[in-house]
Amino acid sequence: MAARIRTLAIGAVLAASVAAVYVTRLQFAPIYLMHDESQFALQAEAIASTGRDLIGRRLPLYFTEPEFPAGRDPAIIYATALVLKVLPLSESSVRLATSLVGVLNIVLMFLVARRLLASDLLGVVAALLLAFTPAHFIRSRLVLSPFYSIPFILAWLLWLARFVDTPERRTLVVAAAWLGLGLYTYLGCTVMMPVYLLLTAWVAWRRSARGWGVALLAGFLVPLVPMAAWSVMHPERYGQIVEAYQLYSVADTVRLRLHLYWSFFSPDFLFITGETSLINSTRQAGFFPMAFAILIPVGIYRLARSGGDIGKVILAGFLTAPLASVVSGALEMNRIMFAIPFGALTAAYGAQALIGSARPISRAGAAILLVSCALQFSGFYVDYMGRYRVASAEWFGGDIRSAIAEAIERGGDDGRIHLSRSIPFIRRYWRFYALAANRRDLLGRETFFEWPELDSPAVPAGAVLVCPAAEPACASLASDPSWTLVRSVVEPGGSPTFSVFEKH
Amino acid sequence: MPRARTGQMVLLVLTAIGGWVYLHRLGDVPVYLSLDEAHFAVHADAIASTGRNLNGDRLPLFINLADPLGDRPDLPWGNTWYQPFLFYLIAAALKLLPLTEASIRTPTAILGGVVNIVLMYLAADRLFGKRRIAIAAAAMLAMCPASVVISRQALDYTCPIVFILAWLFCLSSFVRDPRLRYAIGTGLVLGVGCYSYITSWIMMPLYLVLSWVAFATAVRNPIRPAVASAVAFMLPLLAILPWLWIHPEMPGNLLSAYSISDPEHVSAIQAVRDGRGLIEVARRSVSVYWAYFDPSFLFLSGGASRKLSTGQAGVFLLPVAILLPIGVYALVRRDRRSWFGLTLVAGLFSAPLPATLKGTAFAIERTMALLPFAILISACGLAWLWESRRTTVRVLGTLLLVAQPLQFAGFYQDYLSDYRTRSALGYDPTAFGEAAPFLVDAAAGGESPAVYLTAPLYDVSAKWRFWVTRLGHPDLLSRTHYFDGNLAGLGPAPIGSLAVVPSEDAAVNAAVSSGEWVLARRVMSIDGQPTLAILRKTASRLLKKPAT
């Protein structure tokens, strides 16, 4: 009982400490809402307010959209909808669910690691290693579905570890169930969860648990019944998935796939600068902290030599992490999220090996590496909230938020709001920011236009127009006497992105 | 028959086969002369016939590629300097053989197909003490696709391998029998090896340091052999001093050339010069270094350039993909504290360093040092499998060895057939070899007062000099002029002059429809692609003025 209370207390302190970093300033950074985020948010808002998705279906399992007919994954949308039941729509509120998932991951990592490494201290170390992982922090602040697979992977590992200690069928069922449920978080899980299921089967076979096959299948398949029903009702979904992820090219070159697999493990990507996209990386830190460049190889050695069956599962999890990316033919951040929990765990094993070494230099090295993680994260955090925020503005679509706010304020109740279709994803952004401003009444009163179609003389006085500042037609409007430039939206870096005009 | 005799017989057969594989159809595959081959050929020919290079330097230590009768471009880095070893090797061959593609390629083919096999056998025999492993190592090296493709070109990329193997032989001889002459041998071989290829200036000193580490494990007092090897290393390098006195600009030219000559790749040196941040430099360098161990590159595709790979096989054959990691494992487990394991592993992982500094990934030509170390480590893997108590493991080792000649046969068949065609334009996008005989024939007949060649057009001047020399008309060089390809600018060209331009229809048609030029020949590459057009001047523009 005392041990349980101690565990709960540690978990609570950990959660609170991490939340102070992960769940704060969500409105501030990332600087804007990315287009995919806005779409997830709109689906969540529709569910929260009407119980139906954007095309009117009641509590759907998958959220079909014109841009993605296969349908968006449900976990993130329903989680965000729960938040929006309580909080008003805003950038920070739509990100809250994901950031809380980030905190949950850290607590789960503590629970997994303390069991595997038989130490509360090492459990905390593993949790902090995960917390300090730049990719984990960055993705916890983005409203994107792949991140939601991580708590299910950690929950699976926790129950698998329990099963290894006490091979009971019901524990195996629950472990498999987490994998089944994980399939609702992200499409890439259709590749990875079966891999983890196979690893579970191998562990169960090694334990010679009675009836393990049935337990495993039941645990995995039962949660998939709604998915199966949906697939029966929407048989076109499979073809849409194949089309969306170009899975027909799987039979393509082995060379490309092998090259992609190898590229994932490139140290410059993992430990130095991460991905090239400023959405997924600040370019000043790698996917993992730099100290992992030593901790992971040490951890791999430790897992291979003395990690037991669960150690081999973790090792296999790390080495297979890029599989979804390899299958789809592109190394994309969404499809390599699976590396985060396994990488952090492997690093924790590396830390354990060094801390537990008889050599003082190894123990000192462990201390230095762990402290360096914290120090690097603090520098990363400062950069994330400062330079990165400004540098990434264009990657996040620019300050369309301000342009729409200006249009809403001026468009008022009389005028009509004209929005240029050459602004990428303008429909989503318009809807999101109109709802966030509590101006549902304006929805439907907007006009999306292409420049050749715009009959400028026919636009009534008082109308407001938003267009990209760099577009020649938009710039030429400034010399049209019937229009007045009322707002030039300028990015923090100094470049103008959107212009707001008013007709008079 | 005694085992030693058997081993020698097998080695003899191996070198005979290797010699045949590397020398067969040498003038025919690759089908065209690449630009670097042309440079090696013409300077070596000059040295062979006059004892001087094209610039008049008598037996130069380094070769300045500039040709006083060539197009003489203004290069951003000044002069281009190449290392001397292969030039003198080719010059020696040309003392016996006529100037042809096959002749200039013969020295490197013999190095790859015969010398390296023998040296690998000797080195591996010393290292492992087992003849069958030594034979296997020699065979595996000979069957490396990268070795075949690159050794069959008159290029110095493979030259360092000779010195690396000779060094390993001397080093292992010293460890076995710590006589000073072996220590001296290591230094001397590495010192001379510095002149084999530009990357050797980085790698040979590194190998010298590894030698000292090996000495420390072999003898109680390693200072004496270390000093002896250092002195022996420096001896061949003393020749640089008077050379630099005469050519002080050379180090600057070399550094600039290797910093900026690849505009699409930023070298680490240039990145630091440009003031790019340390993180960016580190990122690039690590990314490039990592790429050299990409299994796709090493075992499947061998790099993007068709001059260096067929694209149907990697740098190594597929079984090496299994033997190499097993070998690393065996070394780490059994020999990680021994000089043997340390030297081989350090050699393997240091091989991409020069290419990493240059900033180019998958440039196997700059990383040929990978070959001997990877093969020796693979031989370790094979030995480990053969030493296993389990029959299946020993059989696996045998299968992995036997699979190699099977894959090699397919690779070699492709190399001599389809590869010859699909790689043609990779060697020479202009297919100048198809144009040159016609051009020489037409110009040498006396009807062509001048020959105009578009420059640089993939170093056409070096190829032109090769062909006029080969076909016995070096006098044409004095009648050759280089221009920018704009025929309109050649107004005063004498009637009957020949001009070679890229085969772009619009430009050629414009020239022909002007009435001043006629199309003498459309040059097609071996795969039927038009590459060049040879035009003959018919009338002066001045004579076209209508009579009043």
Side-chain angles (χ1 to χ4, degrees):
Chain A
M1 188 64 177
R4 188 167 283 208
I5 291 172
R6 189 176 72 233
T7 303
L8 281 170
I10 294 173
V13 168
L14 209 49
S17 313
V18 168
V21 176
Y22 270 59
V23 186
T24 54
R25 307 182 80 186
L26 292 172
Q27 180 74 22
F28 184 71
I31 187 169
Y32 306 129
L33 211 62
M34 207 194 108
H35 64 88
D36 259 344
E37 292 185 279
S38 63
Q39 193 63 10
F40 276 114
L42 288 172
Q43 292 282 13
E45 193 280 335
I47 292 289
S49 55
T50 67
R52 295 176 185 272
D53 67 1
L54 288 173
I55 60 173
R57 288 189 293 197
R58 176 175 278 284
L59 298 176
L61 188 57
Y62 290 96
F63 294 77
T64 308
E65 294 170 359
E67 299 90 355
F68 191 57
R72 292 186 183 270
D73 306 290
I76 184 174
I77 293 172
Y78 284 104
T80 307
L82 271 175
V83 172
L84 294 179
K85 274 292 196 186
V86 178
L87 297 175
L89 181 71
S90 70
E91 286 170 9
S92 57
S93 63
V94 299
R95 287 174 174 157
L96 183 61
T98 312
S99 64
L100 289 173
V101 167
V103 176
L104 176 63
N105 290 344
I106 288 157
V107 174
L108 284 172
M109 176 61 86
F110 162 68
L111 295 174
V112 171
R114 69 174 283 278
R115 178 173 275 271
L116 291 175
L117 301 171
S119 158
D120 281 344
L121 174 64
L122 286 170
V124 171
V125 166
L128 290 177
L129 289 178
L130 179 62
F132 295 150
T133 295
H136 185 260
F137 177 81
I138 289 171
R139 291 301 292 234
S140 73
R141 300 171 77 88
L142 293 173
V143 191
L144 298 172
S145 57
F147 191 68
Y148 281 67
S149 61
I150 296 177
F152 290 88
I153 293 172
L154 288 168
W156 159 64
L157 279 171
L158 183 59
W159 259 262
L160 188 64
R162 285 182 176 180
F163 175 76
V164 167
D165 290 341
T166 314
E168 291 178 351
R169 236 182 306 175
R170 61 182 172 185
T171 311
L172 193 63
V173 169
V174 175
W178 287 119
L179 295 179
L181 289 169
L183 280 164
Y184 293 99
T185 59
Y186 172 53
L187 186 58
C189 293
T190 53
V191 175
M192 299 314 298
M193 296 309 185
V195 171
Y196 304 146
L197 188 69
L198 282 173
L199 291 172
T200 312
W202 175 74
V203 171
W205 171 73
R206 294 263 297 172
R207 292 268 163 317
S208 303
R210 288 184 59 191
W212 63 267
V214 172
L216 203 62
L217 281 174
F220 184 73
L221 292 176
V222 164
L224 298 186
V225 167
M227 185 186 289
W230 181 271
S231 299
V232 168
M233 288 191 289
H234 302 276
E236 73 284 359
R237 183 166 185 261
Y238 175 74
Q240 289 162 348
I241 291 172
V242 169
E243 185 61 39
Y245 286 90
Q246 299 180 324
L247 292 176
Y248 47 78
S249 64
V250 165
D252 206 345
T253 61
V254 171
R255 281 171 214 149
L256 170 65
R257 300 305 192 256
L258 195 53
H259 170 66
L260 283 175
Y261 182 81
W262 186 255
S263 298
F264 168 76
F265 294 101
S266 177
D268 71 298
F269 169 74
L270 288 181
F271 311 118
I272 302 179
T273 52
E275 210 191 65
T276 51
S277 157
L278 277 178
I279 290 174
N280 296 308
S281 167
T282 63
R283 302 289 291 155
Q284 300 294 312
F287 190 88
F288 294 114
M290 202 168 285
F292 279 32
I294 297 172
L295 290 174
I296 284 182
V298 173
I300 288 173
Y301 181 77
R302 176 61 166 242
L303 285 167
R305 289 210 66 173
S306 54
D309 288 351
I310 196 77
K312 290 179 177 55
V313 167
I314 294 168
L315 196 55
F318 182 67
L319 295 176
T320 58
L323 207 58
S325 238
V326 168
V327 165
S328 68
L331 207 63
E332 288 184 2
M333 182 61 93
N334 285 346
R335 292 166 203 162
I336 53 177
M337 288 280 103
F338 309 102
I340 292 178
F342 294 107
L345 259 178
T346 305
Y349 271 88
Q352 183 205 35
L354 292 174
I355 290 170
S357 169
R359 289 190 230 168
I361 194 168
S362 297
R363 297 197 297 273
I368 290 170
L369 290 170
L370 293 174
V371 168
S372 78
C373 286
L375 290 175
Q376 186 187 5
F377 183 81
S378 65
F380 158 79
Y381 184 82
V382 168
D383 179 66
Y384 182 85
M385 293 295 172
R387 178 209 65 87
Y388 165 75
R389 190 175 166 273
V390 171
S392 64
E394 194 184 311
W395 288 81
F396 281 89
D399 192 6
I400 189 62
R401 172 180 62 206
S402 297
I404 290 175
E406 184 76 26
I408 288 173
E409 188 185 320
R410 290 180 177 274
D413 301 312
D414 302 323
R416 214 170 165 83
I417 296 173
H418 290 70
L419 303 162
S420 171
R421 279 205 206 112
S422 52
I423 299 173
F425 305 104
I426 184 57
R427 291 179 188 273
R428 300 179 183 182
Y429 285 124
W430 162 249
R431 185 179 180 89
F432 180 87
Y433 288 111
L435 290 173
N438 228 0
R439 294 302 305 268
R440 197 179 287 267
D441 59 298
L442 289 179
L443 294 179
R445 294 177 54 199
E446 75 281 356
T447 302
F448 299 102
F449 72 93
E450 303 271 6
W451 283 106
E453 301 162 359
L454 181 69
D455 184 5
S456 179
V459 174
V464 178
L465 184 147
V466 179
C467 52
E471 202 173 27
C474 182
S476 68
L477 214 58
S479 52
D480 187 330
S482 60
W483 291 91
T484 303
L485 177 67
V486 294
R487 173 88 186 260
S488 177
V489 175
V490 178
E491 298 303 319
S495 54
T497 42
F498 302 105
S499 298
V500 183
F501 292 91
E502 189 168 17
K503 188 84 186 293
H504 52 77
Chain B
M1 185 186 282
R3 274 191 183 173
R5 200 74 187 271
T6 310
Q8 287 166 7
M9 288 300 296
V10 173
L11 180 63
L12 195 62
V13 170
L14 203 54
T15 50
I17 296 172
W20 184 86
V21 166
Y22 279 65
L23 290 165
H24 179 56
R25 291 175 62 190
L26 204 52
D28 193 36
V29 186
V31 64
Y32 298 136
L33 209 65
S34 68
L35 59 93
D36 269 337
E37 287 189 289
H39 283 299
F40 277 102
V42 298
H43 283 276
D45 178 67
I47 291 172
S49 48
T50 68
R52 298 174 185 272
N53 70 353
L54 293 177
N55 296 289
D57 298 320
R58 176 176 278 283
L59 298 177
L61 187 57
F62 296 94
I63 313 299
N64 178 357
L65 295 192
D67 180 354
L69 294 178
D71 61 342
R72 287 179 287 180
D74 276 326
L75 300 168
W77 55 83
N79 291 319
T80 304
W81 298 92
Y82 275 16
Q83 309 303 301
F85 180 72
L86 185 60
F87 288 96
Y88 286 97
L89 221 53
I90 296 174
L94 294 178
K95 280 287 193 186
L96 304 168
L97 303 168
L99 179 67
T100 63
E101 291 98 315
S103 304
I104 63 169
R105 290 168 176 167
T106 297
T108 46
I110 290 176
L111 286 182
V114 178
V115 176
N116 285 351
I117 290 177
V118 174
L119 286 174
M120 174 59 92
Y121 171 83
L122 293 172
D125 189 38
R126 287 288 165 122
L127 286 165
F128 295 100
K130 291 173 186 167
R131 289 211 168 79
R132 61 178 182 162
I133 299 294
I135 292 284
M140 286 197 286
L141 179 64
M143 287 188 286
C144 284
S147 176
V148 173
V149 172
I150 298 176
S151 294
R152 288 174 63 96
Q153 299 174 59
L155 300 171
D156 52 358
Y157 304 139
T158 55
C159 294
I161 296 178
V162 174
F163 296 93
I164 292 171
L165 291 171
W167 161 64
L168 285 170
F169 173 77
C170 292
L171 188 63
S172 52
S173 299
F174 178 86
V175 173
R176 255 196 193 189
D177 179 12
R179 296 192 203 191
L180 208 60
R181 63 181 178 193
Y182 293 128
I184 293 170
T186 61
L188 201 60
V189 161
L190 293 177
V192 175
C194 286
Y195 295 104
S196 58
Y197 179 53
I198 185 68
T199 60
S200 299
W201 290 99
I202 298 172
M203 303 311 294
M204 299 299 167
L206 176 66
Y207 299 147
L208 184 67
V209 172
L210 287 177
S211 306
W212 297 340
V213 174
F215 295 160
T217 65
V219 293
R220 222 180 267 178
N221 179 15
I223 302 294
R224 198 157 164 257
V227 169
S229 65
V231 170
F233 178 80
M234 293 305 299
L235 275 174
L237 303 188
L238 290 176
I240 294 176
L241 294 174
W243 177 264
L244 288 179
W245 182 264
I246 302 167
H247 297 281
E249 77 284 6
M250 193 190 79
N253 291 164
L254 271 174
L255 202 59
S256 292
Y258 283 92
S259 296
I260 64 178
S261 63
D262 273 357
E264 62 271 19
H265 301 115
V266 179
S267 70
I269 301 166
Q270 189 180 350
V272 171
R273 274 185 181 172
D274 291 349
R276 301 190 193 200
L278 197 61
I279 289 179
E280 179 61 16
V281 173
R283 184 199 69 77
R284 285 173 178 274
S285 300
V286 168
S287 174
V288 169
Y289 179 83
W290 188 254
Y292 280 99
F293 297 99
D294 187 336
S296 176
F297 161 70
L298 290 178
F299 308 115
L300 295 179
S301 66
S305 169
R306 282 301 148 257
K307 285 193 297 186
L308 306 166
S309 163
T310 64
Q312 306 292 316
V315 173
F316 305 102
L317 296 173
L318 274 172
V320 176
I322 299 171
L323 291 172
L324 184 59
I326 293 175
V328 172
Y329 173 78
L331 283 173
V332 168
R333 282 209 72 169
R334 211 169 49 183
D335 299 299
R336 66 171 171 262
R337 293 185 199 278
S338 78
W339 73 273
F340 173 73
L342 179 67
T343 303
L344 293 187
V345 171
L348 178 74
F349 288 109
S350 65
L353 284 179
T356 301
L357 283 175
K358 184 75 174 82
T360 44
F362 309 124
I364 186 59
E365 71 274 20
R366 296 191 177 119
T367 329
M368 291 300 279
L370 265 179
L371 269 64
F373 292 108
I375 292 302
L376 281 168
I377 294 175
S378 300
C380 279
L382 186 63
W384 192 83
L385 291 173
W386 277 347
E387 286 164 9
S388 172
R389 288 181 193 169
R390 288 193 231 171
T391 309
T392 40
V393 174
R394 293 196 304 273
V395 167
L396 173 66
T398 305
L399 285 174
L400 288 172
L401 185 63
V402 166
Q404 293 188 53
L406 294 175
Q407 186 190 355
F408 183 81
F411 153 78
Y412 193 65
Q413 194 269 334
D414 172 66
Y415 176 81
L416 291 178
S417 52
D418 287 344
Y419 169 76
R420 183 175 174 272
T421 308
R422 69 175 185 269
S423 68
L425 294 183
Y427 284 93
D428 184 358
T430 65
F432 192 77
E434 306 286 355
F438 172 84
L439 202 55
V440 170
D441 197 46
E447 297 167 3
S448 303
V451 175
Y452 294 91
L453 299 177
T454 304
L457 209 61
Y458 297 97
D459 282 9
V460 68
S461 69
K463 287 179 278 189
W464 176 236
R465 182 185 270 273
F466 172 85
W467 280 102
V468 299
T469 311
R470 183 184 188 232
L471 297 173
H473 291 283
D475 55 293
L476 291 177
L477 291 172
S478 58
R479 280 192 267 152
T480 302
H481 308 275
Y482 295 92
F483 74 119
D484 61 2
N486 178 15
L487 289 164
L490 285 182
I495 294 172
S497 297
L498 294 167
V500 179
V501 295
S503 179
E504 277 132 14
D505 285 338
V508 172
N509 290 344
V512 170
S513 44
S514 72
E516 294 180 34
W517 299 89
V518 293
L519 180 64
R521 178 102 163 197
R522 178 88 65 179
V523 178
M524 312 290 275
S525 67
I526 191 174
D527 58 350
Q529 301 217 39
T531 56
L532 297 171
I534 302 176
L535 302 162
R536 186 184 290 281
K537 190 77 188 287
T538 55
S540 165
R541 194 185 298 171
L542 294 172
L543 295 177
K544 288 191 75 177
K545 274 188 182 174
T548 53

